Amino acid sequence: MLVLGIETSCDETGVAVVENGKALRSNVIADQQLLHSRFGGVVPEVASRAHVDLLHPAVEQACAEAGVTLADLDAVAVTIGPGLVGALLVGVAAAKAYAFALDLPLIGVNHLVAHVYANVLEHGSLPSPAVVFVVSGGHTSLLVMEGEGEFRMLGQTIDDAAGEAYDKVARVLGLGYPGGPAIDRLAGEGDPAAISFPRSLLDDGTYDFSLSGLKTAVLRHVRGHQGELEVADVAASFQEAVVDVQVSKILRATREEGLDTVLLAGGVAANSRLRAKLERDAAARRVRVLAPSPRLCTDNGAMVACAGTFALERGERTPLDVGADPNLRIVPGVGRRGPRRPKRGRGAAPVGR
Ligand code: KG4
Ligand code: ZN
């Protein structure tokens, strides 16, 4: 079965062809980082317009690289949420048009579920039950995957998502956008123990996360050390504070839930320190950690095609009148907690993703 996967929830136009939900035939990612970098974050309207320009050539390229034509496809899978509404709509409209014109089933996919399924492309299957940590530009969620596609929420961020915090701190440090990879690289040259930044909610007994205090502490440190700032030390110390809390909560979840497998997912799962520390500490407790390779952690169409194939095999179909849902949940009814925030995707101001 050949499934076309389309991803346009944020600033990557991703299109892929995946065979039988596992074999990557092609994976085209047209990123828009240059377009957004001068604004220091993703500008929703700029992203939507770029998706319009990039999507159809990306579909053609994905088919050509896979050695197939549109007529060879068996289904079209597309991210329907969560994400920036205008950006999502471009992918959803295109996917509907391809499905209708080619008379193929349409499968609407939750972006966060797709991130989890990137693990199938890497490891061949999704072991369950497992503790799942979805950590991206817009989300930080610790879950238990009870069975295929069934999730129970343990906790999530009460303010900033991890990727959002990486991007904001990178901006303060003048490292450009996107911030996560830049901080990851620079942290390798710094001392993670140089500055003692706060580890919010480390021992609070919940599975929630909070990063706004850490972000403020970094900002205060930077303002207080103008002219003598060791940027690599700040990056390393910030990253260590983020990762310490993440690893501690993930491993406590495995203990309390009696599970021995952790699945990492989302753009921030590409973080080298998170991967290294989690793998080391988990191995000491005989817990296995699975993560997609870094290039499949960040947004791509292959994970969408993969999750779509499994949904198709479960008998799911999405009607052609489906809309985009910018606030789609991974667990129905369980939303992002904490203070009310401006919705992602509103207005023309850059959002920290
Ligand atoms: O999943 P993703 O590609 O898009 C969303 O769904 O949001 O995640 C993007 C986020 C950005 O905030 C980016 O800075 C972060 O993932 N990121 C990283 C790394 N690579 C990407 N954060 C930390 N370390 C990395 N190596
Ligand atoms: Zn994502």
Side-chain angles (χ1 to χ4, degrees):
M1 173 152 42
L2 286 174
V3 175
L4 183 75
I6 297 179
E7 157 60 42
T8 64
S9 68
C10 195
D11 65 341
E12 268 98 13
T13 313
V15 182
V17 176
V18 171
E19 189 171 356
N20 297 331
K22 291 180 183 165
L24 207 59
R25 293 281 294 264
S26 63
N27 190 20
V28 175
I29 301 166
D31 81 55
Q32 310 171 4
Q33 284 169 8
L34 270 180
L35 278 178
H36 299 285
S37 58
R38 68 195 166 109
F39 302 110
V42 179
V43 182
E45 182 60 18
V46 173
S48 308
R49 289 175 188 221
H51 286 308
V52 171
D53 292 338
L54 295 169
L55 188 55
H56 296 288
V59 171
E60 282 173 7
Q61 190 184 338
C63 287
E65 286 181 11
V68 302
T69 67
L70 289 174
D72 297 320
L73 298 172
D74 295 299
V76 180
V78 64
T79 300
I80 56 168
L84 303 171
V85 70
L88 287 164
L89 279 170
V90 178
V92 171
K96 286 180 188 178
Y98 282 115
F100 183 69
L102 300 166
D103 197 19
L104 295 177
L106 176 74
I107 300 289
V109 171
N110 180 311
H111 180 77
L112 304 175
V113 174
H115 271 304
V116 179
Y117 274 81
N119 280 289
V120 177
L121 296 165
E122 205 71 51
H123 307 292
S125 63
L126 277 189
S128 64
V131 169
V132 176
F133 189 49
V134 184
V135 67
S136 71
H139 293 82
T140 301
S141 303
L142 191 56
L143 307 122
V144 172
M145 189 174 67
E146 314 265 21
E148 215 219 283
E150 278 172 54
F151 297 90
R152 173 161 54 86
M153 185 69 75
L154 295 178
Q156 51 191 329
T157 181
I158 59 170
D159 40 55
D160 290 349
E164 206 173 344
Y166 272 100
D167 293 337
K168 284 179 184 165
V169 165
R171 203 179 317 166
V172 168
L173 295 177
L175 299 177
Y177 176 84
I183 289 186
D184 195 348
R185 265 193 309 275
L186 193 63
E189 299 161 23
D191 174 5
I195 308 143
S196 168
F197 286 130
R199 270 94 171 135
S200 301
L201 310 186
L202 179 62
D203 292 316
D204 71 332
T206 74
Y207 291 116
D208 291 338
F209 298 83
S210 167
L211 287 167
S212 67
L214 172 58
K215 193 183 62 192
T216 308
V218 173
L219 190 63
R220 208 175 299 128
H221 180 90
V222 170
R223 287 201 182 128
H225 293 77
Q226 300 285 359
E228 41 155 10
L229 196 66
E230 297 291 345
V231 180
D233 284 348
V234 178
S237 302
F238 161 75
Q239 179 175 270
E240 201 64 16
V242 175
V243 170
D244 266 357
V245 180
Q246 291 176 338
V247 170
S248 160
K249 296 214 174 200
I250 292 168
L251 291 179
R252 185 160 62 77
T254 61
R255 236 177 13 252
E256 291 182 356
E257 295 289 331
L259 299 173
D260 63 2
T261 304
V262 174
L263 291 170
L264 285 183
V268 183
N271 185 262
S272 62
R273 182 62 187 143
L274 169 62
R275 296 167 80 102
K277 185 172 164 64
L278 182 60
E279 266 159 33
R280 192 196 62 198
D281 292 4
R285 293 169 174 76
R286 298 184 186 285
V287 169
R288 116 183 120 137
V289 178
L290 299 179
S293 61
R295 88 192 160 99
L296 289 174
C297 284
T298 43
D299 291 351
N300 63 82
M303 64 186 195
V304 178
C306 176
T309 307
F310 279 76
L312 201 66
E313 282 171 354
R314 289 195 297 269
E316 289 178 26
R317 300 287 183 277
T318 302
L320 281 176
D321 63 356
V322 68
D325 182 351
N327 298 312
L328 190 65
R329 311 294 185 204
I330 192 165
V331 180
V334 181
R336 185 166 163 166
R337 266 182 260 146
R340 275 194 75 78
R341 316 163 42 84
K343 286 199 181 112
R344 290 174 84 207
R346 281 252 183 99
V351 293
R353 290 177 65 120

